[in-house]
Amino acid sequence: MGAVMSIEEIVGSLDSGMTIGIGGWGSRRKPMALVRAICRSSLTDLTVVSYGGPDVGLLCAAGKVRRVVAPFVTLDSIALEPHFRAARQSGAIEFTEYDEGMFMFGLLAGAHRLPFLPTRAGLGSDVLRVVPGLRTVRSPYEDGEELVAVPALTMDAALVHLDLADTRGNGRYLGADPYLDDLFAKAAARCYVSCERMVEPGGLGGPPQTLLVSRMHVTGVVETPDGGHFTGRGPGGERDEAFQRHYAASAADPEAWAAFADRFLSGDEAAYQEAVRRWHERDRVEGETR
């Protein structure tokens, strides 16, 4: 059963060199408050497993990453995450790329404590060439079909963000898509949940299929209002497209990024939220005076 923790306590429980899974999908429902805290920490040499978005990009920009395991790293409305692209082009990080379906089978294998799962995903593509460690297996039945043996994606810790959680660590999503957060939670040795709002046990409500993460897989839970910003969350928490464009534009220029980091990333989470509020207020006022 999860314990209520602070952002600092969760990040303080992690170690350099760990394999960290991060839930969400692209620029959607990412545990960004926890990611920003890792950027402020002394952690380094991380392997990050993710359907990647700005979580991967920020950690690359902060020099925290040794290796990324992902099917993509995107901002959705902006095709390629700029910091990840720069890290790949410079050779600063290693990258293991799986097909989306293969990645899901890797999570499934890890969640069920299996060494691998067979799949047709990846056959006939270059994945087997660019990931030389992948192997194939032959069906032991009459069909004798050759399949890709996707290795289990296991993690030392997983970080997921949900719209609603209770103080025991049960988590509910309110949007249209659960993504694969439940598999990240099960495939990791321990899982930490950040949530937009925390309630007492019995207060989650809703249909049972929206109760995505069980307390039995959760080590700690923290309430982080707007903690998924700037990524999309549930109803009323759409992705902050204006801020995402500002993030991406700043990433394209070292001086602009230094100014962005100083303004938004030099303080704690409360300072970040206040800086974003002030940025939007200035943008609104400037728009009214044009």
Side-chain angles (χ1 to χ4, degrees):
M1 183 173 69
V4 176
M5 301 174 70
S6 68
I7 292 173
E8 292 73 20
E9 286 172 333
I10 290 174
V11 173
S13 74
L14 306 177
D15 295 313
S16 292
M18 275 186 165
T19 296
I20 306 294
I22 303 179
W25 182 286
S27 189
R28 305 175 226 176
R29 214 175 69 221
K30 290 288 183 175
M32 296 303 292
L34 296 177
V35 170
R36 286 186 284 268
I38 292 175
C39 290
R40 297 191 298 269
S41 76
S42 61
L43 292 172
T44 189
D45 199 38
L46 300 175
T47 294
V48 178
V49 179
S50 176
Y51 283 100
D55 53 327
V56 174
L58 269 180
L59 293 172
C60 286
K64 303 298 183 181
V65 179
R66 178 180 64 83
R67 177 179 173 229
V68 172
V69 181
F72 53 72
V73 183
T74 179
L75 298 179
D76 293 322
S77 57
I78 298 170
L80 189 59
E81 213 292 334
H83 289 302
F84 169 75
R85 178 181 61 193
R88 283 289 291 141
Q89 289 175 338
S90 69
I93 61 169
E94 301 171 25
F95 182 43
T96 300
E97 182 178 11
Y98 290 133
D99 163 275
E100 288 180 26
M102 295 171 69
F103 192 88
M104 181 189 71
F105 272 88
L107 289 175
L108 277 167
H112 291 282
R113 300 299 187 263
L114 296 171
F116 69 91
L117 277 175
T119 179
R120 295 186 182 93
L123 290 173
S125 75
D126 278 341
V127 173
L128 293 172
R129 178 181 60 82
V130 300
V131 187
L134 282 174
R135 299 287 183 265
T136 59
V137 293
R138 193 166 297 279
S139 168
Y141 299 104
E142 291 181 2
D143 60 278
E145 183 178 1
E146 187 176 32
L147 300 164
V148 178
V150 180
L153 290 174
T154 56
M155 294 149 272
D156 297 304
L159 311 175
V160 302
H161 187 71
L162 290 164
D163 302 298
L164 196 63
D166 68 21
T167 55
R168 293 178 176 174
N170 299 298
R172 181 181 170 209
Y173 73 99
L174 303 180
D177 199 321
Y179 309 122
L180 283 300
D181 289 4
D182 54 332
L183 297 185
F184 277 96
K186 294 173 184 176
R190 58 186 193 261
C191 175
Y192 298 100
V193 173
S194 61
C195 63
E196 294 290 315
R197 185 165 67 91
M198 189 182 298
V199 297
E200 292 299 318
L204 288 174
Q209 61 266 32
T210 66
L211 300 175
L212 186 62
V213 174
S214 168
R215 64 182 182 176
M216 73 174 66
H217 301 121
V218 174
T219 300
V221 58
V222 59
E223 184 179 57
T224 58
D226 287 329
H229 184 272
F230 53 93
T231 69
R233 287 141 282 157
E238 291 75 17
R239 181 165 54 237
D240 188 341
E241 292 285 1
F243 190 84
Q244 177 166 277
R245 288 192 296 270
H246 180 47
Y247 164 85
S250 299
D253 176 75
E255 290 187 6
W257 179 251
F260 181 99
D262 181 65
R263 181 174 184 181
F264 296 106
L265 303 175
S266 59
D268 62 11
E269 183 62 16
Y272 170 82
Q273 297 292 343
E274 177 62 17
V276 171
R277 187 193 68 78
R278 289 178 179 271
W279 182 83
H280 275 294
E281 178 65 20
R282 189 184 72 173
D283 188 60
R284 183 188 65 79
V285 170
E286 289 178 352
E288 290 174 352
T289 58
R290 291 191 187 107

